[in-house]
Amino acid sequence: MEFLFKPEKLSEDLKYQVSEAISKRAEIFSRKRYPGLWEKTDRLNEKKLPEEALLRRRRFRRFYGIICIALGIFLFVPGLVKPSELFVPLVVGACATVLGISAVIPRKTNSEKFEKKAKKLISAINSSLKPGDKVLFNEEGIFENGALLMEYENLESIIENRSIFLVCDGIKIMVLRKADLVIGNPEEFKIFVESKTGKKTEKI
């Protein structure tokens, strides 16, 4: 049984999906290293508030941040004028302003944190890609243009996103578009790789 990819250059539109996959890979390693911490995190996530309650909380946080900024400026500016006499208001004003700004600025999601790495990975893959390149998965291993690229026993993670598979062995990372699979189909491919590696595909 074999599956053949003929990779095309990855478009900028895939940046977010690649970022999600890299984020998931980081989570997999973190779960292995800190199982106790993740057990507590999962329990907290089970008690996650409804979306409406989270929206109210975000609004309150923004309102609270604006109040802190206003109060901080009110205390900070006079403190700048007379720092020796108004040292305490100066420090309190500075702290309130920083606290307010941190409350107002939207927090990045895990995927957004990995966007820079995703862009670098896409750029590296596109720059090394040549016309006619082929990636073949067969019973013996994973081959690129006829040369052995990875062995199944060394694969550390296989992550599936909406349009891509991210396959890595700890040294090399491949991002394969489902649309570039010319022999076989994504579902059969996933079953085949899972059978060869003994690892479950992590789906996002």
Side-chain angles (χ1 to χ4, degrees), residues 18-202:
V18 174
S19 177
E20 286 180 320
I22 295 173
S23 173
K24 186 64 178 179
R25 179 174 179 257
E27 180 188 321
I28 291 168
F29 278 98
S30 179
R31 283 182 178 276
K32 287 179 181 176
R33 192 168 183 180
Y34 308 107
L37 179 62
W38 276 99
E39 187 179 340
K40 292 176 183 176
T41 301
D42 290 338
R43 281 203 300 267
L44 288 172
N45 286 337
E46 285 175 4
K47 301 174 183 176
K48 194 173 181 181
L49 293 171
E51 188 60 36
E52 188 177 334
L54 288 172
L55 182 60
R56 284 200 302 270
R57 180 176 286 185
R58 283 195 291 268
R59 286 174 179 167
F60 174 76
R61 189 167 172 264
R62 195 176 296 119
F63 174 75
Y64 162 80
I66 292 169
I67 295 296
C68 283
I69 292 171
L71 178 63
I73 293 172
F74 178 76
L75 294 171
F76 184 70
V77 173
L80 277 178
V81 176
K82 297 180 179 180
S84 57
E85 296 177 23
L86 301 172
F87 179 73
V88 173
L90 176 66
V91 173
V92 173
C95 292
T97 303
V98 171
L99 184 64
I101 291 171
S102 66
V104 169
I105 294 174
R107 294 178 180 178
K108 286 187 175 182
T109 63
N110 283 338
S111 298
E112 288 172 335
K113 292 175 186 175
F114 286 94
E115 277 191 9
K116 190 175 288 187
K117 288 186 178 180
K119 285 182 72 173
K120 284 185 179 179
L121 179 58
I122 289 173
S123 177
I125 290 172
N126 286 345
S127 62
S128 64
L129 195 65
K130 300 178 186 64
D133 277 356
K134 297 176 183 178
V135 177
L136 177 68
F137 289 71
N138 64 20
E139 297 293 338
E140 283 72 46
I142 304 168
F143 296 82
E144 184 178 46
N145 300 327
L148 182 64
L149 180 66
M150 297 179 182
E151 295 180 351
Y152 294 118
E153 62 186 28
N154 295 330
L155 289 191
E156 61 177 26
S157 54
I158 309 103
I159 299 166
E160 178 188 9
N161 211 332
R162 295 175 295 283
S163 305
I164 63 169
F165 288 103
L166 186 140
V167 182
C168 43
D169 66 354
I171 300 173
K172 298 176 286 293
I173 297 179
M174 287 191 298
V175 178
L176 300 167
R177 295 194 319 150
K178 293 178 181 180
D180 294 335
L181 182 58
V182 296
I183 296 179
N185 64 61
E187 281 305 311
E188 290 174 344
F189 170 74
K190 186 168 64 173
I191 293 168
F192 173 77
V193 174
E194 287 177 349
S195 70
K196 299 301 288 186
T197 60
K199 292 186 172 74
K200 186 179 181 296
T201 301
E202 296 286 345

